[in-house]
């Protein structure tokens, strides 16, 4: 006797064991869409050159954010070059067949290279942001994990032809909400502790990024998800978002970091010309007078700053770190 599936479980009926590898897609970009992708490619390439060029205006110890931001736009340049060349896509059967001639057809081209771009660049964007807030590495790594979940489930949903794609969409949205919480709530709490300059830079870039990231699901629902807008319109929608979320974000971040010492964030980058930290630094001691850097006071205790003490708010010998962090901070 053949086994019958459980009542109510129609997953095997909705997603049967049939694989249709379409040789072509019906709903595609036109020359206008390709031209737009080439334009975005040029913007991303120009931004990459600009970020790398401006890194030479600061010392090597202060270039970490220039390098991360340049890596973001460099990756996006490759992705947009691929899409402008009408490569990096696969035809997928649409769930909703529309009567409009711009989206009429059975299959739609889905640019999987876009998700490869996001898989690389969105963690770097979060790294830019969360390092600016001086957040601890466990929180940074967990937030990046949520981001990878969001990107991967978005890709899987785009490649699914049935209504099950919306299940992946919901998972991606839940991951996005977790990211937003860590950036807006947890991140702002950390940035406030590092002074007004750090807090202002993080707040501007963080709110900007999270707002844009909540617009991306709308673009997904109108294009890969619902097959409502044409691929050319999809190209413009995603392209504008990517320009705002990458080159514009990067410019705001780099400008904001002009007056921020990486050591304030717990980042200690040693150039080859700089001698290694000695035991006094490792023990959280620093000899010097009372100063204030980026809104974070360094308290004078007869010229010696001690890294230990019972006061939870006491600063260590390294500016910008707190008593609940290690004296050395985050070493890069």
């Amino acid at each position: 006797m053949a086994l019958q599936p459980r009542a109510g479980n129609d997953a095997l009926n909705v997603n049967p064991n049939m694989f249709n590898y379409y040789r072509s897609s019906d709903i595609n970009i036109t020359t206008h869409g390709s031209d737009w992708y080439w334009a975005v490619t040029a913007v991303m390439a120009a931004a990459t050159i600009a970020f790398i060029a401006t890194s030479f205006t600061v010392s090597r110890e202060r270039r970490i954010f220039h390098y991360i931001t340049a890596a973001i736009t460099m990756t996006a340049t490759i992705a947009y070059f691929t899409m402008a060349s009408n490569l990096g896509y696969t035809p997928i059967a649409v769930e909703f067949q529309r009567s409009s001639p711009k989206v009429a057809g059975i299959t739609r081209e889905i640019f999987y290279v876009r998700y490869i771009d996001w898989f690389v660049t969105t963690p770097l964007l979060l790294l830019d942001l969360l390092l600016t807030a001086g957040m601890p590495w466990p929180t940074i790594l967990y937030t990046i994990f949520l981001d990878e979940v969001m990107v991967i489930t978005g890709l899987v949903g785009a490649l699914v032809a049935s209504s099950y794609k919306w299940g992946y969409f919901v998972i991606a949205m839940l991951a996005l909400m977790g990211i937003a919480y860590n950036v807006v709530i947890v991140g702002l709490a950390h940035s406030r502790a590092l002074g007004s300059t750090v807090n202002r830079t993080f707040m501007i870039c963080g709110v900007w990024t999270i707002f844009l990231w909540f617009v991306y699901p709308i673009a997904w629902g109108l294009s890969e998800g619902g097959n409502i807008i044409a691929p050319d319109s999809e190209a413009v929608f995603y392209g504008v978002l990517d320009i705002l979320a990458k080159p514009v974000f990067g410019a705001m971040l780099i400008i904001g970091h002009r007056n921020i010492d990486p050591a304030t964030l717990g980042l200690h980058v040693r150039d080859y010309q700089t001698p290694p930290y000695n035991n006094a630094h490792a023990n959280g001691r620093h000899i010097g007078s009372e100063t204030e850097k980026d809104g974070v006071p360094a308290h004078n205790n007869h010229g010696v700053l001690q890294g230990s003490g019972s006061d939870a708010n006491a600063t260590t010998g390294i500016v910008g770190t707190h008593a609940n962090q290690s004296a050395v901070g985050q070493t890069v």
Side-chain angles (χ1 to χ4, degrees), residues 205-216:
C205 295
V207 172
W208 177 267
T209 297
I210 294 302
F211 169 76
L212 291 174
W213 281 23
F214 270 97
V215 181
Y216 277 93

Side-chain angles (χ1 to χ4, degrees), residues 75 79-80 112-124 147-148 150-151 154-155 216 219-220 224 238 241-242 246:
T75 304
Y80 273 92
Y112 58 80
V113 71
R114 190 191 311 280
Y115 296 87
I116 297 175
D117 168 14
W118 291 342
F119 188 84
V120 175
T121 58
T122 53
L124 294 176
D147 174 70
E148 301 292 25
M150 178 183 68
V151 174
L155 171 61
Y216 277 93
W220 191 95
E224 295 103 321
Y238 278 131
L241 287 176
D242 278 347
K246 293 171 182 176

Side-chain angles (χ1 to χ4, degrees), residues 118-128 130-131 137-152 175 178-179 182-183 213:
W118 291 342
F119 188 84
V120 175
T121 58
T122 53
L124 294 176
L125 280 163
L126 288 174
L127 194 60
D128 259 345
L130 302 184
L131 287 179
W137 278 108
T139 305
I140 293 176
L141 293 176
Y142 181 65
T143 307
I144 289 176
F145 165 75
L146 291 176
D147 174 70
E148 301 292 25
V149 170
M150 178 183 68
V151 174
I152 292 173
I179 295 169
N182 281 346
V183 172
W213 281 23

Side-chain angles (χ1 to χ4, degrees), residues 5-128:
R6 292 179 300 170
N9 182 3
D10 62 346
L12 299 182
N13 295 324
V14 177
N15 305 301
N17 298 322
M18 297 174 59
F19 297 91
N20 296 317
Y21 297 103
Y22 298 97
R23 297 177 60 87
S24 62
S25 56
D26 303 321
I27 309 167
N28 309 294
I29 61 170
T30 66
T31 303
H32 297 295
S34 178
D35 290 342
W36 168 252
Y37 278 136
W38 282 121
V40 179
T41 302
V43 172
M44 296 296 182
T48 302
I49 295 172
F51 293 143
I52 294 176
T54 54
S55 71
F56 290 99
T57 64
V58 298
S59 62
R60 278 184 289 266
E61 296 93 334
R62 300 173 63 93
R63 294 179 184 175
I64 179 171
F65 292 98
H66 293 80
Y67 291 158
I68 294 175
T69 309
I72 293 169
T73 52
M74 182 183 298
T75 304
T77 301
I78 299 170
Y80 273 92
F81 173 87
T82 304
M83 291 185 285
S85 304
N86 202 34
L87 300 171
Y89 77 92
T90 185
I92 298 295
V94 298
E95 179 186 1
F96 305 102
Q97 295 187 26
R98 308 293 183 182
S99 58
S100 171
K102 293 185 177 181
V103 289
I106 298 176
T107 58
R108 181 185 178 108
E109 66 175 354
I110 302 297
F111 283 105
Y112 58 80
V113 71
R114 190 191 311 280
Y115 296 87
I116 297 175
D117 168 14
W118 291 342
F119 188 84
V120 175
T121 58
T122 53
L124 294 176
L125 280 163
L126 288 174
L127 194 60
D128 259 345

Side-chain angles (χ1 to χ4, degrees), residues 173-197:
M173 289 301 301
L174 292 175
L176 177 57
M177 291 178 185
I179 295 169
Y181 176 82
N182 281 346
V183 172
V184 176
I185 305 300
V186 182
L188 279 176
H190 280 79
S191 67
R192 289 192 191 102
L194 297 178
S196 60
T197 303

